[in-house]
Structure formats: structure tokens, C-alpha cells
């Protein structure tokens, strides 16, 4: 089996770094929902898993997190993150298909994994690592594409468990794992986390001017899914 590529490199990384800054999907749908799930992060040690160009890390720092560490498999995106964050956030270039051996046990209060989970193949290993590095009572936030949206976009069986490719504007293509709601939640709960909250994010009002079609779509059909879990 060919090893899954989970990061956005080169021109794709540059494209995504620019896109995620102020687009309807990332900036005005997923990010507000995840930050609301995070709540008050003042004084917390936070881990941004698949930190991309540093948008979430910047928000966590600006909202008062005492320490923010980002992990990302793309050097292209890390370069953008360094430009955005300066020296105030510790960043690691690391393939998320590999264990997080450089992080200590029970060293974080919060872990954020935004629109990353469906790209990973070694998900069981990654969840075990996140459980290890979170302190008891710590929170894990995960967002993904909505399983019902995948069924709408790709057709076929809702229960298909397959890697798919999706075209982006600009001629780019991304690859990720299509999964059911049962599988998504089952893996998270099976890893020992407790579900505290589940939301189906809709675009904020700011998205209406940026991309009215996408704004309306997120208010009409399932688009993203976001959960807050607790490490017992």
C-alpha cells in the first residue's frame, strides 16, 4: 500500500495558506465554530495539530493561551506560519502519520485538529498520541468534512470507506479518507475520549459578501462537522 500523503506541499501549500486566511469555508465557517468550542483558553497550553499556515495558533495565542505549539507536515505551510506567528509560537515540522515522540505526556490542556483528521491514515496511532499528551480533563477539538456532504458530493454508497480525490480551484487536487459518522465518532470514542459537544457549522455573516454561494450552501446542506471531546 502506498503511504498516504497528508500535507499540502509546494504550490498547493502556498495556495491553501492564502485561501484559508479569509475564505468562507476555513476563515468564516470552520474557524469560528472550533474557537467557540474551545471557549476560554486563557492560561492554557495548547497544541495545534496540522497547524497549516498558523491561523488557529494565532487565534489561540491572541485569546490568551499561555503556550501554543504547532505541528505540521508541510514545510511550505510552516514557512507561512512562521511569517504569521513570529517567534511567539513553537513550531515543529513533523509527519502526522508518525508518533509525536517529541511531546511529553500530559503536557497540554487543549489539542485542536482542524480539518486534518480525514487526511490521516494512522488515525488510531494519532489519537493514542493525543490522549497521551493531553492531561486528564484536557479537551480535544476535531473538525472534518461532514459525512453526509461526502455522500452528496461523491455519490455511491454512504457507507463507502475509501480515499477520494477532490478538485480545488486553481487546478489543484487533494486526497483524503471518506468515512461515515459512525466511523468518525467510533474512532474518537474508541480511543478513550468522551464526547462533550457536536456542532454542524454554518458560515458566519461575514462570508456572505466573500462567497455568497458558499454561504448559502453551508446554511442549506451539511458541510462540516466539529466535536469537542474530553480526555478522562
Amino acid at each position: 500500500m502506498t503511504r498516504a500523503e497528508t500535507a499540502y506541499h509546494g504550490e498547493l501549500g502556498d495556495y491553501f495558506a492564502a485561501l484559508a486566511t479569509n475564505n468562507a469555508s476555513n476563515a468564516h465557517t470552520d474557524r469560528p465554530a472550533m474557537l467557540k468550542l474551545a471557549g476560554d483558553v486563557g492560561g492554557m497550553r495548547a497544541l495545534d495539530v496540522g497547524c497549516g499556515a498558523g491561523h488557529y495558533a494565532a487565534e489561540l495565542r491572541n485569546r490568551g493561551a499561555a503556550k501554543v505549539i504547532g505541528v505540521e507536515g508541510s514545510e511550505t505551510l510552516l514557512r507561512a506560519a512562521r511569517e504569521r506567528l513570529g517567534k511567539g509560537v513553537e513550531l515543529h515540522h513533523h509527519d502526522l502519520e508518525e508518533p509525536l515522540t517529541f511531546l511529553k505526556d500530559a503536557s497540554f490542556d487543549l489539542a485542536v485538529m482542524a480539518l486534518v483528521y480525514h487526511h490521516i491514515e494512522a488515525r488510531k496511532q494519532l489519537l493514542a498520541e493525543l490522549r497521551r499528551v493531553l492531561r486528564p480533563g484536557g479537551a480535544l477539538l476535531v473538525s472534518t468534512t461532514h459525512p453526509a456532504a461526502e455522500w452528496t458530493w461523491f455519490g455511491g454508497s454512504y457507507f463507502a470507506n475509501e480515499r477520494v480525490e477532490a478538485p480545488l480551484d486553481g487546478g489543484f487536487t487533494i486526497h483524503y479518507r471518506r468515512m461515515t459518522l459512525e466511523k468518525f465518532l467510533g474512532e474518537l470514542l474508541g480511543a478513550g475520549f468522551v464526547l462533550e459537544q457536536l456542532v454542524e457549522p454554518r458560515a458566519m455573516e461575514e462570508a456572505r459578501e466573500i462567497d455568497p454561494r458558499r454561504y448559502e450552501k453551508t446554511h442549506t446542506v451539511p458541510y462540516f462537522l466539529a466535536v469537542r471531546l474530553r480526555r478522562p
Side-chain angles (χ1 to χ4, degrees):
M1 178 179 177
T2 304
R3 182 183 179 84
E5 179 53 72
T6 59
Y8 296 169
H9 303 285
E11 291 183 355
L12 174 58
D14 289 332
Y15 169 81
F16 184 75
L19 180 73
T21 299
N22 192 36
N23 69 340
S25 298
N26 299 89
H28 298 297
T29 305
D30 183 68
R31 207 141 65 229
M34 289 285 272
L35 291 170
K36 185 175 181 179
L37 285 177
D40 182 6
V41 300
M44 289 188 178
R45 288 180 54 87
L47 175 65
D48 188 353
V49 184
C51 65
H55 297 94
Y56 285 88
E59 289 282 359
L60 293 169
R61 180 188 62 186
N62 294 344
R63 290 168 184 242
K67 178 74 173 180
V68 181
I69 293 179
V71 180
E72 171 58 50
S74 166
E75 185 56 53
T76 305
L77 285 169
L78 277 179
R79 185 165 57 248
R82 292 187 189 102
E83 292 175 0
R84 172 166 286 103
L85 299 166
K87 297 181 179 180
V89 174
E90 182 182 327
L91 297 172
H92 294 267
H93 184 207
H94 181 77
D95 185 351
L96 293 175
E97 300 288 351
E98 299 293 336
L100 304 172
T101 53
F102 53 94
L103 299 177
K104 296 180 180 180
D105 293 0
S107 54
F108 294 96
D109 305 294
L110 172 70
V112 176
M113 185 161 47
L115 300 178
V116 172
Y117 189 72
H118 49 291
H119 289 283
I120 307 297
E121 287 299 296
R123 294 185 303 279
K124 183 176 180 179
Q125 172 182 269
L126 178 57
L127 290 173
E129 285 291 86
L130 293 175
R131 194 176 192 280
R132 176 182 66 79
V133 303
L134 279 168
R135 65 166 178 78
L140 170 63
L141 312 183
V142 184
S143 62
T144 188
T145 53
H146 199 295
E150 302 288 7
W151 188 26
T152 302
W153 298 338
F154 294 104
S157 171
Y158 168 78
F159 297 99
N161 176 26
E162 59 189 3
R163 282 191 76 82
V164 294
E165 60 178 49
L168 301 177
D169 294 337
F172 297 106
T173 300
I174 59 173
H175 300 81
Y176 57 90
R177 173 68 58 178
R178 175 182 173 182
M179 64 184 77
T180 63
L181 177 62
E182 178 182 66
K183 183 171 181 61
F184 173 67
L185 289 179
E187 289 182 353
L188 297 170
L189 300 179
F193 291 96
V194 176
L195 179 64
E196 292 190 329
Q197 193 173 355
L198 181 151
V199 296
E200 296 170 304
R202 272 83 86 191
M204 305 295 286
E205 187 63 29
E206 293 88 338
R208 192 190 291 271
E209 293 185 9
I210 297 170
D211 190 340
R213 183 188 64 84
R214 188 62 55 87
Y215 173 87
E216 293 297 336
K217 187 173 183 179
T218 69
H219 286 261
T220 305
V221 299
Y223 202 77
F224 290 145
L225 186 67
V227 294
R228 178 185 172 100
L229 305 116
R230 175 173 48 82
R231 187 245 198 257

